[in-house]
Amino acid sequence: MSCKEEMESWRVQSPEEPGFHAVITPDTCACQETQIFRLNLPKGESYHLESGKLEMHPVLIAGAAKLSDHALAREMTRFDAFYLPGGDSVTITALEDCIFYIAAAVYEGYGKAFFRAFEKDAPVGDIHQIHGEGIGQREVFMTLSDKDEASRLICGLTWGGEGAWTSWPPHQHEKDLEEIYCYFDMPLPHFGFHISYLKSGEVDDIVTHTVHSGTMVQCPRGYHPTVASPGTRNAYLWVLGALRHTSRRYDLAVLDPALKDFNSAR
């Protein structure tokens, strides 16, 4: 398989059918440390989520739900999230039709269960952040930050500007972390592009993935900027999975040297 063919395989369209679905796991995908599951739970139904040997970080992408059989028992609204360490479990009951994106990685004994409510108007700081500038500016809400205790995962929600770039300048962190982008709130015919390329400045060899709601794109290595079509805002849950607990850091991204000095507002 050529490098281009491999990169083309990094795009997965997650299932919309009711139930719990393994979307990106090491047995079928390029990412070996970072996993994604999707739970589609119709109103009134329940699902008992067991983490097993994994740490899990469910984020409620659509609907409303209730957690029970756990110290975290409470109701959830859109974009609320929680963290389960390994060997833990919780019952999720849908109060409305629900979609959960669930990040996972190997649990190494670091991390305790916690709940994070989404606060749209939270002041800019450790959890609510503004990244980039110009046409590369985006809003970020950290659902599982590097300051929260966990084994491998760092996760957050990002919203770009209309028709704008996100993750610009292009970056990679292949020596330390894998990443998966999980798109939402981009119903067809809205769409964006997720770009993958392996070597600095070699943009003739890029692979462009069309993305919309439910699309998930792996970034096991290489650079990966994204851009939205006019009239569309790219919106995604990004999931960083450290290759080892000691590299569970948010400051390890390496900008493409060939593009890092480009003014994003031009």
Side-chain angles (χ1 to χ4, degrees):
M1 181 184 293
S2 69
C3 289
K4 274 201 168 184
E5 289 173 329
E6 182 183 2
M7 287 190 288
E8 286 168 354
S9 74
W10 291 352
R11 179 191 185 277
V12 180
Q13 191 64 32
S14 60
E16 297 182 2
E17 296 79 15
F20 182 81
H21 304 277
V23 182
I24 294 175
T25 55
D27 54 333
T28 60
C29 295
C31 283
Q32 295 298 294
E33 306 297 341
T34 316
Q35 303 185 38
I36 296 292
F37 302 89
R38 174 170 169 167
L39 175 62
N40 302 320
L41 197 60
K43 180 179 178 180
E45 294 191 9
S46 296
Y47 184 83
H48 190 65
L49 181 67
E50 298 182 353
S51 59
K53 295 181 179 180
L54 302 175
E55 58 179 353
M56 287 187 163
H57 180 57
V59 181
L60 181 56
I61 299 300
K66 179 176 66 175
L67 304 180
S68 58
D69 302 326
H70 197 283
L72 296 181
R74 70 192 68 198
E75 291 190 3
M76 297 183 70
T77 57
R78 200 163 184 239
F79 303 134
D80 288 350
F82 63 95
Y83 173 86
L84 285 183
D88 206 346
S89 65
V90 66
T91 298
I92 304 170
T93 301
L95 303 177
E96 301 172 2
D97 290 350
C98 288
I99 299 172
F100 284 88
Y101 289 171
I102 303 173
V106 172
Y107 179 64
E108 296 181 322
Y110 303 94
K112 297 178 182 179
F114 78 91
F115 185 93
R116 173 148 295 143
F118 177 69
E119 298 180 51
K120 180 181 178 181
D121 299 321
V124 174
D126 289 342
I127 301 301
H128 181 204
Q129 303 177 3
I130 303 298
H131 293 185
E133 59 183 11
I135 60 169
Q137 187 174 95
R138 62 266 189 199
E139 185 176 14
V140 176
F141 183 85
M142 305 291 285
T143 59
L144 176 59
S145 81
D146 56 340
K147 296 178 177 60
D148 297 316
E149 187 180 357
S151 290
R152 298 284 189 98
L153 294 174
I154 306 171
C155 307
L157 299 164
T158 290
W159 292 267
E162 183 178 317
W165 290 86
T166 51
S167 296
W168 188 270
H171 70 279
Q172 56 88 1
H173 30 62
E174 59 192 35
K175 291 183 179 179
D176 299 292
L177 305 119
E178 299 172 333
E179 189 166 19
I180 302 172
Y181 286 57
C182 308
Y183 291 86
F184 62 88
D185 281 3
M186 300 170 63
L188 291 170
H190 293 281
F191 70 94
F193 294 118
H194 182 114
I195 297 167
S196 301
Y197 65 101
L198 298 179
K199 296 181 180 179
S200 171
E202 294 190 11
V203 294
D204 283 341
D205 292 328
I206 67 173
V207 167
T208 303
H209 312 271
T210 303
V211 297
H212 51 86
S213 293
T215 305
M216 299 181 177
V217 184
Q218 303 166 75
C219 310
R221 60 185 184 279
Y223 300 94
H224 39 272
T226 75
V227 65
S229 61
T232 301
R233 297 177 68 199
N234 273 4
Y236 51 83
L237 169 70
W238 50 265
V239 177
L240 285 168
L243 303 187
R244 62 202 73 85
H245 177 68
T246 53
S247 63
R248 185 183 174 265
R249 291 168 47 187
Y250 193 60
D251 60 348
L252 297 175
V254 178
L255 301 182
D256 184 344
L259 296 172
K260 69 177 183 177
D261 294 326
F262 280 31
N263 187 334
S264 62
R266 286 179 184 170

